[in-house]
Amino acid sequence: TILLSKGKFTYTITPDTFTIFSLLLGEKQILPIYADKGESVTLNGMVGEIEVKGKGENAQLAKHIQYLNTLENNKTAVMAAVDSLIKTNPHSYSNIYLIDKYYVQDSLPDYNHIDQLIKGLSGIIKDTPYIIDLQNKLSEKKELTEKLASIDYEYDAELNQFV
């Protein structure tokens, strides 16, 4: 738990390996923070309007979020931009955030599209616990869909139902 002092906080971590942790900024906003030796990140703003400054993965994520915020009112443009960012940066940890925020959390996720996006990611990103778990869930959904599609239903007019 990080406590605020006069509306601000400072948190220092010295990781021995690359680490991803999440900053919860409200009920529905989660911001990934990437920690590595010699890197720092600065957050400014309020919930819903966080400005991220940093190096490496943090800088890339900040750039992606800024760009996507300029397209906010056009869902088609946002989704095309998200796809483009993921496909052109297959080694970026930011893809985990993009896939989760824009695809997994959608009210009607397109599982086939999510699967295609994951296939284009580099091995190091595919090997993260989140992506491994997501791939397992996608496999379960695919198996269930195939089972349901293979069942033959007949309509029994007398019972007024499918059997």
Side-chain angles (χ1 to χ4, degrees):
T1 303
I2 301 172
L3 302 175
L4 295 177
S5 175
K6 297 181 183 177
K8 297 181 179 188
F9 71 88
T10 299
Y11 182 73
T12 303
I13 180 174
T14 308
D16 54 349
T17 61
F18 184 83
T19 304
I20 303 171
F21 60 95
S22 298
L23 184 60
L24 305 176
L25 300 170
E27 289 183 31
K28 294 188 177 185
Q29 188 179 8
I30 298 172
L31 182 66
I33 302 294
Y34 308 106
D36 205 359
K37 290 179 184 175
E39 291 201 15
S40 64
V41 62
T42 303
L43 308 171
N44 289 312
M46 299 168 36
V47 174
E49 299 176 13
I50 296 292
E51 177 186 354
V52 180
K53 293 181 182 177
K55 295 188 274 180
E57 288 289 336
N58 291 304
Q60 187 168 29
L61 179 61
K63 189 171 89 175
H64 292 341
I65 290 171
Q66 270 183 327
Y67 173 62
L68 294 169
N69 284 342
T70 67
L71 307 171
E72 196 171 282
N73 295 327
N74 184 340
K75 183 170 180 170
T76 303
V78 168
M79 299 312 285
V82 168
D83 279 7
S84 177
L85 290 169
I86 291 169
K87 290 174 183 174
T88 57
N89 299 288
H91 302 284
S92 175
Y93 286 94
S94 297
N95 292 332
I96 298 168
Y97 169 81
L98 296 173
I99 289 170
D100 181 65
K101 178 172 173 128
Y102 292 97
Y103 286 101
V104 174
Q105 293 182 30
D106 190 82
S107 59
L108 295 169
D110 182 343
Y111 300 115
N112 290 327
H113 191 73
I114 294 169
D115 191 43
Q116 289 303 312
L117 290 172
I118 291 172
K119 285 180 181 175
L121 299 177
S122 71
I124 195 164
I125 306 302
K126 288 181 187 176
D127 289 341
T128 61
Y130 177 84
I131 295 295
I132 290 169
D133 185 49
L134 182 56
Q135 285 180 306
N136 290 337
K137 288 177 183 173
L138 290 172
S139 291
E140 289 171 13
K141 295 265 186 211
K142 186 177 179 183
E143 287 175 22
L144 180 61
T145 302
E146 288 172 358
K147 281 182 184 178
L148 291 173
S150 69
I151 298 173
D152 289 330
Y153 295 97
E154 290 183 30
Y155 185 74
D156 186 328
E158 199 171 291
L159 295 174
N160 195 27
Q161 67 183 19
F162 285 95
V163 289

